[in-house]
Amino acid sequence: MKKRTIIAAMAVLLVGCSTPPAETTYTSNFRHNALGFLPTAEKQMTINLPDAEEFRVRRADNDKVVYEGTLGEVLTQKDVNESVRIADFSELTREGKYYLEIPGVGRSRDFTIGQQAYNDAYATAMRAFYLWRCGTAIDHTYKGIRYQQEICHQGDGHEDHIGIEGGHHDGTGGWHDAGDYGKYVVNAGITGFTLLWAWEQFAPALQNVTLGLPETAPGYPEFLKEIKWEIDWLLKMAYPDGSGKVSHKLTALNFSDFYTMPQEDLQNRYYTDWSSAATADYVALLAQASRAFAPYDAEYAAKCLEAAKVSYDFLSSYTGQKFLMQPQFTTGAYFTIDPDDRMWAAAEMWETTGDERYLKEFEKMAEQQKFVVDVNWDWDNMRNLGMFRYAVSQRPGKNPEVEAKIKENIIAAADEIVATADADVYGRPLGGRYYWGCNGTVGRQTLGLQVADILAPDAKYQAAALDAVAHLFGRNHYDRSYVTGIGFNPPLYPHDRRSAADGIQQPWPGYVVGGGHTATDWIDDQDSYSHNEVAINWQAGLVFALAWFVG
Ligand code: 9MR
Ligand code: 9MR
Ligand code: ZN
């Protein structure tokens, strides 16, 4: 508690230092995206001052007025019980540094308008995956602070719980899942999909941003080096008997004590029993990765696809659902039914191989799923992954009716997201839905928008995606960034073992925290894992959203 108070006081001091000169009053009634705005995109700020009328935008360097406008009508946001107005200065497109002012009231923080407003945030968020690496030492300096981890979890993993008493095979590598150090196949699936989708769509732009990763995959572009670190591990999650079964997770029996660095976590860690959802996700992600890697490493790509085929065939012969039921493990459950996972696997196998067998299986399973496309989805629902893959595929042979139905539903889901963001004064595309990890969904929803933008291009999809980014970086009830180390007043106390145990005040950088369970109950408290943990699936949504706008 004591430590916390001191750091909070320091944060206030730091903020104090960066406030503008005395003659201007900075006010926190201006809720905006601390990263800034893209020149040609919509630019809005939410103003928590229902009485105000006019606003001005001034240049930060010489205070020259460059834009004058009238605030929108008074809007009421019920879930936070706030009356606000929107300042819209989309017409201001000139690059530069500015602030918004309401005469007689005060001014916002400075913000930039620039083509590369999101590049640094993207790189920092993507690098957060590197910082999550298991089985290696990490040494990284961010904003002058050095973050370090020694090599960890070298004993991964033991086979006692997959029927081989005293057995062991290599399961090192991959990313830690979250604020804990477990490794879970289901969550690796959605995470890998989201990151690889970003690569598939935006590789040329992403390649221009240097991440500064170590040379762990010669010949691979940096982005794919990071993905390969996870895929190398994923391959090890298949049973050693060659059956194609895939362990649901690799963890200790219980979460380690919170104040534990990775290298201090010396519990035995085990492969668990297999599950059909994890096996399907393994297939899907390996098939997808195989395509991404093929141009750089044909041999490894073939290895991924071969492993995917073995597990796909196994699943075809095992039509029931198989859940992980080993209550001796109290680590993350990621308990989920498998029809959506199987459907995603068929879609990726088809896209990679072109084999009609997978296409037919996908179309059948999609029909069983009633072609539903979700606006709100996370690790327990891979349905969208399959639908998106199929919809954008250039391969011939699709059933035209199925294709039309799926495309229609993708566009309808995206339109619903747009409408929800538009109706929320803070541009939140999830509207009034709050739950464990919902900030991750806010980021991930931009993927559904981007797919719609491929199928039926419309500027409203990008605008809503930028709303999502803005929301995560400060246009929200708290007037705070939800991402450690980036933006205005970011979280200082994520539920993250490294951040708590390393003796450094600042948390590890670049991580989005889970968020509130109601519109007003988020707390920046490391003990509250349900509000303030970090996790790879949430992080991937953030990376995707930012990747879309790398300039
Ligand atoms: O740190 C764990 C976090 O990653 C999980 O999301 C969370 C819920 O499963 O559990 C956390 O671990 C806590 C455990 O469940 C109960 N004892 C306190 C642990 C935090 O130190
Ligand atoms: O993200 C998961 C969330 O949807 C669940 O409600 C929650 C409780 O089951 O678990 C979350 O996942 C955690 C996982 O079980 C263990 N590692 C940390 C994950 C993020 O909190
Ligand atoms: Zn580790």
Side-chain angles (χ1 to χ4, degrees), residues 219-299:
Y220 284 59
E222 273 202 304
F223 190 95
L224 292 182
K225 278 193 212 315
E226 197 48 49
I227 308 296
K228 184 170 186 289
W229 187 265
E230 180 76 348
I231 298 294
D232 285 348
W233 161 74
L234 184 64
L235 285 163
K236 300 172 184 173
M237 293 301 286
Y239 273 32
D241 63 7
S243 62
K245 296 171 185 161
V246 177
S247 287
H248 189 75
K249 61 185 179 183
L250 198 178
T251 74
L253 292 176
N254 304 303
F255 289 118
S256 59
D257 177 67
F258 190 64
Y259 289 92
T260 306
M261 287 301 286
Q263 67 270 15
E264 295 162 357
D265 179 19
L266 300 173
Q267 306 178 77
N268 277 346
R269 303 186 359 139
Y270 303 95
Y271 297 96
T272 67
D273 197 3
W274 69 285
S275 72
S276 46
T279 303
D281 295 341
Y282 166 98
V283 170
L285 184 57
L286 287 177
Q288 185 185 10
S290 164
R291 293 197 308 276
F293 296 157
Y296 311 99
D297 189 347
E299 203 179 307

Side-chain angles (χ1 to χ4, degrees), residues 133-135 149 152-153 176 181 262 269:
R133 286 188 185 189
C134 181
Q149 157 191 313
C152 60
H153 303 118
H176 300 132
Y181 299 137
R269 303 186 359 139

Side-chain angles (χ1 to χ4, degrees), residues 177-180 184 255 332-334 378-379 436 529 533-535 537-538:
D177 184 58
D180 69 307
Y184 308 84
F255 289 118
Y334 289 116
D378 199 349
W379 60 266
W436 193 325
Y529 43 77
E533 193 164 355
V534 299
N537 54 322
W538 311 339

Side-chain angles (χ1 to χ4, degrees), residues 388 410-412 414-415 447-458 461:
F388 293 164
I410 289 174
I411 291 165
D415 288 348
L447 205 154
L449 294 168
Q450 195 264 338
V451 178
D453 197 36
I454 299 172
L455 303 177
D458 189 317
Y461 297 125

Side-chain angles (χ1 to χ4, degrees), residues 375-379 417 428-430 433 435-447 468 472 514 537-538 541-542:
V375 298
N376 172 21
W377 47 288
D378 199 349
W379 60 266
I417 294 172
R428 190 171 190 268
L430 249 189
R433 300 182 185 100
Y435 51 84
W436 193 325
C438 58
N439 280 345
T441 306
V442 167
R444 185 179 310 108
Q445 282 184 303
T446 65
L447 205 154
L472 293 174
N537 54 322
W538 311 339
L542 175 69

